Protein backbone atom coordinates (compact mmCIF):
# COMPACT_ATOMS: atom_id res chain seq x y z
CA UNK A 1 0.00 0.00 0.00
CA UNK A 2 1.42 3.35 -1.03
CA UNK A 3 1.24 6.36 1.30
CA UNK A 4 -1.35 7.93 -1.03
CA UNK A 5 -3.54 4.80 -0.96
CA UNK A 6 -3.32 4.65 2.82
CA UNK A 7 -4.23 8.33 3.20
CA UNK A 8 -7.14 7.95 0.80
CA UNK A 9 -8.46 4.92 2.70
CA UNK A 10 -8.31 6.90 5.97
CA UNK A 11 -10.14 9.80 4.34
CA UNK A 12 -12.80 7.51 2.88
CA UNK A 13 -13.38 5.79 6.23
CA UNK A 14 -13.87 9.21 7.83
CA UNK A 15 -16.26 10.18 5.04
CA UNK A 16 -18.32 7.01 5.50
CA UNK A 17 -18.58 7.77 9.21
CA UNK A 18 -19.71 11.34 8.54
CA UNK A 19 -22.25 10.19 5.96
CA UNK A 20 -23.66 7.77 8.51
CA UNK A 21 -23.84 10.01 11.59
CA UNK A 22 -24.07 13.63 10.39
CA UNK A 23 -26.32 15.72 8.18
CA UNK A 24 -23.39 17.59 6.64
CA UNK A 25 -23.43 18.32 2.92
CA UNK A 26 -21.30 16.27 0.53
CA UNK A 27 -19.21 19.39 -0.06
CA UNK A 28 -18.58 19.84 3.67
CA UNK A 29 -17.68 16.18 4.15
CA UNK A 30 -15.26 16.29 1.21
CA UNK A 31 -13.58 19.34 2.71
CA UNK A 32 -13.55 17.93 6.26
CA UNK A 33 -11.93 14.72 5.05
CA UNK A 34 -9.18 16.48 3.10
CA UNK A 35 -10.27 16.00 -0.51
CA UNK A 36 -9.17 18.77 -2.87
CA UNK A 37 -12.60 18.97 -4.53
CA UNK A 38 -16.06 17.55 -4.23
CA UNK A 39 -15.81 15.91 -7.65
CA UNK A 40 -12.56 14.16 -6.68
CA UNK A 41 -14.22 12.96 -3.47
CA UNK A 42 -17.23 11.58 -5.34
CA UNK A 43 -15.04 9.76 -7.89
CA UNK A 44 -12.81 8.25 -5.19
CA UNK A 45 -15.81 7.25 -3.07
CA UNK A 46 -17.57 5.56 -5.97
CA UNK A 47 -14.40 3.72 -7.02
CA UNK A 48 -14.00 2.45 -3.44
CA UNK A 49 -17.62 1.53 -2.64
CA UNK A 50 -19.45 1.22 -5.95
CA UNK A 51 -21.87 3.90 -4.73
CA UNK A 52 -21.94 7.66 -4.81
CA UNK A 53 -21.79 9.36 -1.41
CA UNK A 54 -25.49 10.25 -1.72
CA UNK A 55 -26.43 6.63 -2.44
CA UNK A 56 -24.34 5.49 0.52
CA UNK A 57 -25.94 8.12 2.75
CA UNK A 58 -29.44 7.15 1.65
CA UNK A 59 -29.00 3.39 1.98
CA UNK A 60 -26.30 3.40 4.66
CA UNK A 61 -24.72 0.04 5.35
CA UNK A 62 -28.00 -1.83 4.91
CA UNK A 63 -26.93 -4.86 2.88
CA UNK A 64 -30.47 -5.64 1.70
CA UNK A 65 -30.80 -2.15 0.23
CA UNK A 66 -27.39 -2.41 -1.46
CA UNK A 67 -28.36 -5.76 -2.96
CA UNK A 68 -31.55 -4.14 -4.25
CA UNK A 69 -29.51 -1.39 -5.93
CA UNK A 70 -27.33 -4.01 -7.62
CA UNK A 71 -30.44 -5.88 -8.76
CA UNK A 72 -31.95 -2.71 -10.26
CA UNK A 73 -28.79 -1.75 -12.21
Amino acid sequence: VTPHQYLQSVRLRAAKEQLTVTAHSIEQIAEDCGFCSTSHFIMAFRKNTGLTPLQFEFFGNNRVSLDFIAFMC
Side-chain angles (χ1 to χ4, degrees):
V1 174
T2 68
H4 179 264
Q5 290 170 327
Y6 173 76
L7 182 58
Q8 184 150 321
S9 71
V10 169
R11 289 176 173 165
L12 289 169
R13 268 186 267 132
K16 289 174 190 175
E17 178 73 16
Q18 284 198 37
L19 286 165
T20 304
V21 299
T22 71
H24 295 161
S25 68
I26 299 302
E27 293 80 6
Q28 184 64 50
I29 292 172
E31 183 179 325
D32 290 350
C33 294
F35 287 90
C36 60
S37 70
T38 303
S39 61
H40 182 254
F41 166 59
I42 293 168
M43 288 188 319
F45 194 93
R46 185 171 200 155
K47 183 176 181 181
N48 179 264
T49 66
L51 301 170
T52 67
L54 284 176
Q55 289 170 330
F56 183 87
E57 183 177 42
F58 183 77
F59 291 105
N61 290 321
N62 184 338
R63 189 73 229 160
V64 173
S65 296
L66 295 178
D67 288 341
F68 179 73
I69 291 172
F71 173 75
M72 296 303 291
C73 292

